[in-house]
Amino acid sequence: DQQVKQNSPSLSVQEGRISILNCDYTNSMFDYFLWYKKYPAEGPTFLISISSIKDKNEDGRFTVFLNKSAKHLSLHIVPSQPGDSAVYFCAASEVGNTPLVFGKGTRLSVIA
Amino acid sequence: DVKVTQSSRYLVKRTGEKVFLECVQDMDHENMFWYRQDPGLGLRLIYFSYDVKMKEKGDIPEGYSVSREKKERFSLILESASTNQTSMYLCASSPLMSSGPYNEQFFGPGTRLTVL
């Protein structure tokens, strides 16, 4: 059973507008959440993370929001740029030295 | 900068061949991971290792084995390649406990394997 779900396989947004990527999880033991960005033919690169003790973390144009009661997190990109077009993976981990659990990814297309 | 390298970017093998995918990291990380990425299925964990000579099964270990004889090197082995193992294979590493983003994994560029 999927513990991390990204229910939108794809998202298309106009340049300059906000992109919102969503992620839901089922495991209440998850303590740390990360977003990765992946371009074709490259490995994923770390984008931004949030600990379960916070509800928001911001880094430039990227903001991640965490709603623990709803077991939901979202990544906001403002303003969206064509170079943001990529597949975005949501990932989560429990406390301790455990592997990340990844969602299936959302392909973002930012149209100029 | 952390660097994770994979021995090949593209590989073509025939059904039944034994295939070795090599991964090397240069940051003295304890943890190393092998994933495969397929369209619509995301990143699926095959095997991981917390230390030299240690290995743990991930979500889809069937048809694969691994070897970790040195801390910096983690090999994925397909004993007898099959067409359903055609995929993008990604290696990653992470420190045991990091002072920065907790459990952040660093990925290599991937190997696109095609089994004919």
Side-chain angles (χ1 to χ4, degrees):
Chain A
D1 194 27
Q2 261 192 292
Q3 297 186 70
V4 178
K5 299 179 185 178
Q6 294 178 257
N7 291 320
S8 299
S10 63
L11 176 68
S12 189
V13 172
Q14 272 200 311
E15 181 179 6
R17 306 294 291 265
I18 184 171
S19 296
I20 300 176
L21 293 88
N22 293 304
C23 180
D24 297 296
Y25 61 96
T26 57
N27 186 346
S28 57
M29 298 300 292
F30 284 147
D31 181 63
Y32 201 76
F33 304 89
L34 305 89
W35 286 93
Y36 279 81
K37 177 179 178 179
K38 186 181 183 300
Y39 292 118
E42 294 183 13
T45 54
F46 170 76
L47 191 58
I48 192 169
S49 63
I50 188 166
S51 165
S52 61
I53 62 173
K54 294 186 175 181
D55 55 18
K56 177 182 174 181
N57 188 26
E58 197 170 350
D59 183 2
R61 296 185 298 114
F62 303 91
T63 303
V64 57
F65 296 91
L66 176 63
N67 182 334
K68 281 193 70 177
S69 60
K71 294 191 176 67
H72 176 83
L73 63 154
S74 60
L75 174 68
H76 293 212
I77 307 173
V78 183
S80 301
Q81 299 173 353
D84 297 328
S85 297
V87 177
Y88 289 79
F89 291 100
C90 172
S93 75
E94 298 182 25
V95 173
N97 197 44
T98 58
L100 295 177
V101 179
F102 285 86
K104 292 185 176 182
T106 296
R107 181 177 301 279
L108 173 66
S109 299
V110 180
I111 304 161
Chain B
D1 273 356
V2 174
K3 195 164 185 185
V4 180
T5 57
Q6 296 183 228
S7 51
S8 306
R9 294 300 300 272
Y10 300 94
L11 209 52
V12 180
K13 295 292 181 180
R14 297 209 172 271
T15 301
E17 278 193 80
K18 190 168 186 175
V19 181
F20 292 87
L21 302 182
E22 305 285 341
C23 176
V24 178
Q25 49 95 4
D26 66 359
M27 282 300 290
D28 202 35
H29 285 169
E30 286 78 11
N31 301 330
M32 296 189 76
F33 309 85
W34 274 106
Y35 295 87
R36 62 179 283 179
Q37 183 199 3
D38 301 286
L41 297 178
L43 297 173
R44 294 184 291 168
L45 182 63
I46 305 171
Y47 267 97
F48 58 102
S49 169
Y50 290 139
D51 201 351
V52 175
K53 297 194 186 294
M54 292 183 67
K55 60 183 179 184
E56 298 282 343
K57 292 181 180 179
D59 299 318
I60 51 163
E62 296 79 20
Y64 303 95
S65 63
V66 290
S67 172
R68 193 161 180 205
E69 296 297 318
K70 293 185 177 181
K71 188 176 185 180
E72 68 271 17
R73 189 179 297 268
F74 192 35
S75 303
L76 180 69
I77 304 155
L78 287 67
E79 294 290 341
S80 177
S82 64
T83 55
N84 62 14
Q85 292 178 310
T86 292
S87 186
M88 167 72 90
Y89 288 88
L90 292 158
C91 176
S93 72
S94 73
L96 194 62
M97 294 286 287
S98 74
S99 57
Y102 195 60
N103 280 348
E104 178 189 346
Q105 293 178 5
F106 299 85
F107 283 85
T111 296
R112 171 71 64 186
L113 173 67
T114 301
V115 182
L116 302 175

